[in-house]
Amino acid sequence: EVKENSPMGTFIANLTILGDPVTQSVRVCLSGNAANWLYLEGKAIRLNVSTGRQLDREAMESPVLLATLTCTEEASIPQVQYKVVIAVVDENDNRPQFHGDLIPVQNISELTAVNTIVFTIQAEERDGDILFYSIDSTRGEQRDKRGSRELTVKFCLLQANAKYFRIDLPNSGQIVLAEPLDYETNPELELVIFAEEMYTKERFNTSVMVKIRVLDGDDQYPQFLPCSFL
């Protein structure tokens, strides 16, 4: 096994052969598709990488390196070949990202019933880690404390908007309406949604701002205007 992003010369395995490939007649060489990722140093197999060429498990067609090790003692003796199988171990080197740079505006009618799934949002994590989603304006406030009144008002609005929505299944990304919307009171809302790795040590996370446009519905009764005496 070898971890992705390992440096040049990382030790992989020792060859259990009799004789010294350097000073004696034993000849050892590597061949095959993955042979360019490896080199021999005496009886040791080491990783061959460079600054612009690193092992990246997510970019590889297969997470396994296959090479052939050929051993020859003399020209008259048949060659002996062994398969070298190296598994590239994944590291948590990718942060979650929401799909696309801009999340489209979500249009939701004010007549939408409470407990309805109003939209779904998904983030991507190239390492395949499980993500969980949350609506939490206080975390955003902790990340950007500048002592500004404008920011304080902004985060208060985000906290007020968060009460209208909830996430029942943390790893689903489904946003559920928690309280009735009112076009006449709040025609537009902004919501901060976080995606965070669930089972990793680093717990990498990201956030996105979602704008919500509340659509007007027929929820008002007609009423007579007050009379003015002449």
Side-chain angles (χ1 to χ4, degrees):
E1 293 182 349
V2 61
K3 291 183 178 181
E4 65 172 338
N5 305 315
S6 294
M8 176 70 175
T10 297
F11 173 81
I12 295 178
N14 265 326
L15 303 180
T16 55
I17 60 175
L18 297 176
D20 190 344
V22 178
T23 62
Q24 298 183 11
S25 59
V26 178
R27 296 181 58 190
V28 182
C29 65
L30 288 165
S31 61
N33 295 334
N36 60 340
W37 287 106
L38 310 169
Y39 72 92
L40 291 169
E41 186 180 73
K43 293 185 179 181
I45 300 177
R46 296 187 179 276
L47 185 65
N48 180 27
V49 295
S50 60
T51 304
R53 181 174 170 269
Q54 295 288 329
L55 271 183
D56 184 359
R57 191 176 189 275
E58 288 73 37
M60 299 171 63
E61 294 182 2
S62 171
V64 176
L65 300 177
L66 296 175
T68 300
L69 179 70
T70 302
C71 299
T72 306
E73 186 173 0
E74 293 180 2
S76 60
I77 297 178
Q79 296 178 341
V80 179
Q81 291 186 336
Y82 298 93
K83 293 294 182 184
V84 180
V85 182
I86 303 170
V88 180
V89 180
D90 189 27
E91 283 192 326
N92 189 26
D93 58 343
N94 289 286
R95 294 177 177 270
Q97 294 180 341
F98 283 97
H99 297 299
D101 297 331
L102 182 64
I103 303 297
V105 176
Q106 302 295 322
N107 296 316
I108 306 174
S109 171
E110 65 174 342
L111 302 180
T112 302
V114 173
N115 299 324
T116 299
I117 298 174
V118 288
F119 65 93
T120 301
I121 191 167
Q122 291 291 326
E124 179 184 37
E125 215 284 343
R126 294 183 61 199
D127 290 318
D129 299 317
I130 297 177
L131 302 176
F132 73 91
Y133 301 87
S134 61
I135 303 170
D136 189 352
S137 61
T138 58
R139 292 175 58 179
E141 186 173 4
Q142 292 172 357
R143 294 166 189 227
D144 199 359
K145 289 183 176 178
R146 303 176 194 173
S148 168
R149 176 179 175 80
E150 180 181 353
L151 281 174
T152 303
V153 172
K154 180 72 171 178
F155 286 122
C156 287
L157 289 173
L158 290 175
Q159 190 172 14
N161 294 343
K163 70 177 183 179
Y164 292 102
F165 304 94
R166 69 174 190 269
I167 299 177
D168 291 337
L169 300 175
N171 61 343
S172 69
Q174 296 177 341
I175 311 301
V176 179
L177 187 64
E179 291 189 15
L181 298 175
D182 186 11
Y183 170 81
E184 286 71 28
T185 304
N186 290 314
E188 291 186 353
L189 302 172
E190 289 183 342
L191 197 64
V192 176
I193 299 176
F194 290 91
E196 185 170 353
E197 296 172 348
M198 184 175 290
Y199 297 120
T200 64
K201 178 180 66 176
E202 296 81 7
R203 299 292 290 269
F204 290 140
N205 60 75
T206 185
S207 63
V208 68
M209 175 81 73
V210 180
K211 293 187 177 183
I212 299 168
R213 182 183 298 120
V214 181
L215 303 179
D216 191 17
D218 189 7
D219 62 342
Q220 302 293 325
Y221 288 97
Q223 56 184 349
F224 287 103
L225 298 174
C227 296
S228 297
F229 291 100
L230 298 179

